[in-house]
Amino acid sequence: LFWYSLDEADADQQRFLSYLIATFEHRLPQLSDAPAVLLQEFSGAGGGAWTHVIDALVNALSAALTAPALLVIDDYQFIADTQEINALVERFLTYLPPDLHVILTGRHVLNTPQLITWRAKGEVLEINRAELAFRADEIAALFRDTYAMQLSPDDIVVLADKTEGWPIALHLVWQSLRGNTAES
């Protein structure tokens, strides 16, 4: 598992590439140093030179990965509006090795023309906010089956409305209710 958590400063192409390469170097000591060398070589060049770094990284990963692997790029919303970074990510995703799978997390949908093609080919799985939230029947089942608490239909409606079905909010409600019943 490889994990890259983004922030606003990662909107710089050189910084983004540097951290992306480092994400893999940390867990793949056998990774070729070609991507990092090219990154240093092209420092300040910008433009299309960065695609050569992406290509070198893809080639290095193809040689270094010996089993299926997963890369999580977290908080993509911080760089989602940066056209240059989106182009690099699109190129990376288009040519990544078959053993490498990528999860992009963020508050917004990836804005790239290639997304339509990936959807049509069935190469992308999108999970949005509504799919992550519990529905009323799931809230009832959670409290009944997991938390051993029977809620009234009105309570379930209120919970669904107030928490918007977010699992962490439901868990916090359960902890609070559990604490209140323990004190009684």
Side-chain angles (χ1 to χ4, degrees):
L1 175 65
F2 304 96
W3 197 285
Y4 180 8
S5 292
L6 301 167
D7 63 34
E8 293 89 356
D10 292 306
D12 173 75
Q13 292 171 324
Q14 185 168 2
R15 179 183 172 120
F16 174 80
L17 289 170
S18 176
Y19 285 134
L20 182 62
I21 293 167
T23 298
F24 291 108
E25 287 175 333
H26 178 70
R27 305 266 332 264
L28 282 175
Q30 71 274 26
L31 186 73
S32 166
D33 64 348
V37 169
L38 276 177
L39 182 63
Q40 288 302 316
E41 228 175 83
F42 292 134
S43 179
W50 300 127
T51 60
H52 297 294
V53 176
I54 286 290
D55 295 345
L57 179 58
V58 167
N59 290 333
L61 288 168
S62 292
L65 289 173
T66 58
L70 181 65
L71 166 65
V72 176
I73 301 177
D74 194 17
D75 290 327
Y76 199 82
Q77 73 272 3
F78 289 122
I79 60 168
D81 293 332
T82 309
Q83 189 176 22
E84 298 83 7
I85 300 293
N86 280 333
L88 291 174
V89 170
E90 182 177 310
R91 184 171 186 88
F92 180 70
L93 294 175
T94 299
Y95 298 108
L96 59 88
D99 274 347
L100 182 61
H101 305 280
V102 178
I103 296 175
L104 296 177
T105 70
R107 297 176 189 266
H108 312 287
V109 176
L110 177 65
N111 185 16
T112 174
Q114 192 65 28
L115 186 59
I116 295 167
T117 304
W118 294 331
R119 282 182 185 137
K121 290 181 175 181
E123 295 176 343
V124 65
L125 171 64
E126 294 175 273
I127 301 172
N128 62 37
R129 181 181 183 159
E131 291 166 325
L132 293 173
F134 278 62
R135 295 183 317 266
D137 62 321
E138 294 170 325
I139 293 171
L142 173 70
F143 275 81
R144 181 188 63 243
D145 301 341
T146 304
Y147 299 150
M149 284 186 168
Q150 192 67 37
L151 299 178
S152 72
D154 289 342
D155 290 340
I156 293 167
V157 169
V158 169
L159 271 177
D161 181 54
K162 297 292 184 189
T163 65
E164 298 179 359
W166 282 107
I168 190 64
L170 294 168
H171 186 74
L172 291 171
V173 166
W174 169 71
Q175 285 182 327
S176 176
L177 289 173
R178 182 182 68 173
N180 288 342
T181 58
E183 293 173 9
S184 300

